Amino acid sequence: MSEFLNRDLYSDSEYRILCDFLISHFRYKPKTEKNYAYDFNIFKRFIKKDILEVDSAACENFIKNTDKAYPSAQAPATIERIYSELHRLYEYLLEQNKIAQNPFNSVEKPASDRSIRNDKVLSFEEAEALLNAAKELELRDCAMLQVLFTTGLKIKDFIALNWNNIIRDSEGELGLYIQKYNKPYYNKLHRDVIEILLQYRESLGKEQTIAANESTAIFVNAKGERISQNWVRLVIKDACTMAGIKAHSPSSIRNSMGAFMLTFGVPPVEVAQVMGYSDTFLTTRLPIVLPKRKDYLHFNMNGFNKVRPENEHE
């Protein structure tokens, strides 16, 4: 049973159906289960009828009147999420032969502007200042920022990097290779990044070779443990302060990487590959950052090629 559903709102059959849906989909995601259950409770209270008997008109009326159904007005992106949740529920009911058709199929999905604002990416001047400030940090933290900035990795993938994620490709160049959800990610490393990684390895007392067959974390703390996401955020914050720019998040740095690539004319399909996007449509969210000059930051855009790692040829 779900602890988040308001039992008093539903009949026994409705309650069992909703519990089956929530538990089967979100057994290990209590926060998501809570969000879905909250919206189901609001929906049920608004429509005032059995969830198996609602039609498209009732569903459309709910979506168009969320400001009346909820305690406060909902943002466009939130309304879009609510629609997706309910659509998913009714797809489940359809699969379970509880209904003949999904009533939300006839309801227009709300659209929200998901574009990433210019203030959510670094300008070229800010990026240059940040990378220069990074040189004043400890060797590990400087290496962290350079790798993070030039690869466009999500922070969770970044902290999970091991030394054996760095491979030598078929052209003899070093790059990051990660298997993500059965989809490989590969991006070449710039010579400056390789150089600072070599210095960092030396400081750890490791062999002076990058493409090492070591399944150990690249970036570790003083105890030799893998660094945390929070530590990465603190390093970025300190570097931004030293650079005299506003604080940026790991997401801002990642978005900047994609925006710079588009600015330099890299095709959206290649931007999507480097950023790990599921499709090229997501690149339309990125702003174009107009450069005053092309400098050190240009290297990663020129460095990306569709190169298959050696082990894929075996």
Side-chain angles (χ1 to χ4, degrees):
M1 298 296 101
S2 175
E3 63 178 296
F4 304 115
L5 288 172
N6 185 338
R7 182 65 183 84
D8 296 335
L9 289 174
Y10 307 97
S11 66
D12 290 343
S13 60
E14 286 178 302
Y15 185 71
R16 284 196 300 272
I17 290 170
L18 291 176
C19 284
D20 288 343
F21 170 79
L22 292 171
I23 293 173
S24 64
H25 287 75
F26 312 115
R27 182 186 299 273
Y28 304 110
K29 299 178 180 179
K31 184 179 293 186
T32 305
E33 179 189 345
K34 182 178 181 180
N35 290 338
Y36 268 71
Y38 175 75
D39 291 327
F40 291 168
N41 291 338
I42 296 287
F43 177 65
K44 171 64 177 180
R45 190 178 290 115
F46 184 84
I47 61 175
K48 295 182 174 64
K49 60 174 65 177
D50 191 297
I51 62 171
L52 300 180
E53 298 176 358
V54 296
D55 55 18
S56 297
C59 295
E60 183 174 24
N61 185 45
F62 173 74
I63 292 298
K64 289 183 175 181
N65 291 280
T66 54
D67 56 333
K68 297 178 181 178
Y70 285 79
S72 59
Q74 303 296 298
T78 304
I79 299 174
E80 183 180 358
R81 175 182 59 76
I82 293 168
Y83 172 94
S84 297
E85 290 175 353
L86 291 168
H87 189 281
R88 184 175 184 181
L89 168 64
Y90 279 94
E91 281 297 299
Y92 170 80
L93 296 178
L94 186 60
E95 293 169 1
Q96 297 298 313
N97 296 317
K98 301 294 184 181
I99 56 176
Q101 59 184 7
N102 185 339
F104 277 90
N105 283 341
S106 300
V107 180
E108 183 177 359
K109 183 178 181 179
S112 62
D113 183 7
R114 293 179 174 271
S115 298
I116 297 171
R117 303 196 310 268
N118 279 352
D119 62 350
K120 294 298 183 181
V121 301
L122 283 75
S123 67
F124 278 82
E125 291 73 21
E126 286 179 320
E128 185 175 44
L130 182 65
L131 289 175
N132 284 332
K135 297 175 184 177
E136 305 301 319
L137 298 172
E138 292 184 10
L139 187 60
R140 179 203 59 192
D141 295 343
C142 178
M144 280 170 44
L145 273 180
Q146 285 201 18
V147 172
L148 187 63
F149 190 88
T150 59
T151 58
L153 285 174
K154 292 181 179 179
I155 187 171
K156 65 177 182 179
D157 295 322
F158 173 75
I159 65 171
L161 285 175
N162 292 330
W163 287 107
N164 59 3
N165 287 128
I166 302 177
I167 60 116
R168 191 173 297 280
D169 65 30
S170 58
E171 293 185 354
E173 299 187 62
L174 294 175
L176 282 178
Y177 181 75
I178 305 172
Q179 189 72 24
K180 298 174 56 180
Y181 313 112
N182 298 320
K183 183 178 180 181
Y185 164 93
Y186 179 71
N187 196 0
K188 290 184 179 180
L189 292 174
H190 183 259
R191 59 182 179 276
D192 291 352
V193 176
I194 295 171
E195 179 61 32
I196 196 167
L197 283 174
L198 280 170
Q199 295 175 31
Y200 173 54
R201 278 184 66 85
E202 183 178 13
S203 72
L204 296 174
K206 291 182 176 290
E207 181 183 359
Q208 286 299 281
T209 176
I210 291 290
N213 188 27
E214 302 172 9
S215 58
T216 55
I218 293 181
F219 298 108
V220 295
N221 59 25
K223 297 180 180 179
E225 301 168 339
R226 193 180 299 274
I227 57 165
S228 65
Q229 293 189 22
N230 188 52
W231 182 257
V232 176
R233 292 187 176 92
L234 288 174
V235 169
I236 295 173
K237 181 180 178 181
D238 288 346
C240 287
T241 300
M242 293 170 61
I245 63 177
K246 70 174 185 178
H248 282 278
S249 67
S251 294
S252 295
I253 296 200
R254 170 175 162 79
N255 293 336
S256 301
M257 168 71 177
F260 292 162
M261 293 180 71
L262 290 176
T263 296
F264 286 128
V266 177
V269 64
E270 294 192 8
V271 176
Q273 288 177 328
V274 172
M275 299 294 288
Y277 289 159
S278 57
D279 56 60
T280 57
F281 172 76
L282 293 174
T283 63
T284 62
R285 299 173 55 198
L286 296 167
I288 299 296
V289 182
L290 297 178
K292 291 187 176 180
R293 61 181 182 280
K294 295 182 180 180
D295 51 19
Y296 170 78
L297 298 172
H298 196 163
F299 68 73
N300 204 70
M301 301 20 165
N302 285 331
F304 176 72
N305 288 308
K306 298 177 183 177
V307 179
R308 297 177 63 191
E310 289 179 329
N311 56 8
E312 284 198 354
H313 291 282
E314 297 176 356

